[in-house]
Short mmCIF file of all heavy atoms in Angstrom, two decimals:
data_model
loop_
_atom_site.label_atom_id
_atom_site.label_comp_id
_atom_site.label_asym_id
_atom_site.label_seq_id
_atom_site.Cartn_x
_atom_site.Cartn_y
_atom_site.Cartn_z
N LEU A 46 -11.34 -15.39 -24.05
CA LEU A 46 -10.45 -16.26 -23.33
C LEU A 46 -10.62 -17.73 -23.70
O LEU A 46 -11.74 -18.15 -23.92
CB LEU A 46 -10.61 -16.11 -21.82
CG LEU A 46 -10.47 -14.61 -21.30
CD1 LEU A 46 -10.70 -14.56 -19.74
CD2 LEU A 46 -9.11 -14.03 -21.68
N SER A 51 -9.72 -17.38 -34.49
CA SER A 51 -10.65 -17.69 -35.62
C SER A 51 -12.09 -17.79 -35.19
O SER A 51 -13.02 -17.82 -36.02
CB SER A 51 -10.21 -18.95 -36.33
OG SER A 51 -10.18 -20.06 -35.41
N ALA A 60 -23.22 -14.16 -25.72
CA ALA A 60 -24.37 -13.96 -24.92
C ALA A 60 -24.70 -12.46 -24.86
O ALA A 60 -23.82 -11.58 -24.82
CB ALA A 60 -24.25 -14.45 -23.52
N PHE A 69 -29.48 -15.69 -23.51
CA PHE A 69 -29.99 -15.17 -24.73
C PHE A 69 -28.74 -14.79 -25.64
O PHE A 69 -27.94 -14.00 -25.17
CB PHE A 69 -30.90 -14.03 -24.51
CG PHE A 69 -32.11 -14.36 -23.70
CD1 PHE A 69 -32.04 -14.35 -22.29
CD2 PHE A 69 -33.23 -14.80 -24.32
CE1 PHE A 69 -33.16 -14.76 -21.55
CE2 PHE A 69 -34.35 -15.16 -23.59
CZ PHE A 69 -34.33 -15.13 -22.22
N ASP A 72 -27.25 -14.59 -31.80
CA ASP A 72 -27.86 -15.12 -32.95
C ASP A 72 -29.40 -15.25 -32.83
O ASP A 72 -30.10 -15.83 -33.69
CB ASP A 72 -27.29 -16.47 -33.37
CG ASP A 72 -27.52 -17.57 -32.35
OD1 ASP A 72 -28.08 -17.29 -31.27
OD2 ASP A 72 -27.05 -18.72 -32.58
N ASP A 128 -19.84 -18.08 10.15
CA ASP A 128 -21.09 -18.73 10.71
C ASP A 128 -21.65 -19.79 9.80
O ASP A 128 -22.15 -20.82 10.21
CB ASP A 128 -22.13 -17.61 10.94
CG ASP A 128 -21.74 -16.69 12.05
OD1 ASP A 128 -20.88 -17.05 12.88
OD2 ASP A 128 -22.39 -15.60 12.14
N ILE A 134 -13.64 -24.28 13.48
CA ILE A 134 -12.22 -24.50 13.04
C ILE A 134 -11.64 -23.19 12.56
O ILE A 134 -10.49 -22.84 12.85
CB ILE A 134 -12.15 -25.59 12.03
CG1 ILE A 134 -12.53 -26.92 12.58
CG2 ILE A 134 -10.74 -25.62 11.39
CD1 ILE A 134 -12.64 -28.02 11.58
N ALA A 239 -14.84 -33.53 -13.10
CA ALA A 239 -15.82 -33.92 -12.09
C ALA A 239 -15.60 -35.32 -11.55
O ALA A 239 -16.42 -36.18 -11.48
CB ALA A 239 -17.27 -33.89 -12.69
N ALA A 428 -27.78 -24.86 -12.30
CA ALA A 428 -28.14 -24.05 -11.13
C ALA A 428 -29.10 -24.82 -10.20
O ALA A 428 -29.80 -25.72 -10.60
CB ALA A 428 -28.83 -22.75 -11.61
N GLN A 438 -35.11 -31.24 -20.13
CA GLN A 438 -34.77 -30.53 -21.39
C GLN A 438 -33.19 -30.46 -21.56
O GLN A 438 -32.69 -30.60 -22.73
CB GLN A 438 -35.30 -29.15 -21.38
CG GLN A 438 -36.85 -29.07 -21.43
CD GLN A 438 -37.31 -27.63 -21.33
OE1 GLN A 438 -36.70 -26.64 -21.88
NE2 GLN A 438 -38.42 -27.45 -20.67
N GLY A 446 -27.17 -33.98 -28.87
CA GLY A 446 -25.81 -33.75 -29.24
C GLY A 446 -25.04 -35.02 -29.43
O GLY A 446 -24.19 -35.15 -30.37
#
Side-chain angles (χ1 to χ4, degrees):
L46 303 180
S51 61
F69 298 87
D72 64 358
D128 290 344
I134 292 171
Q438 293 176 38

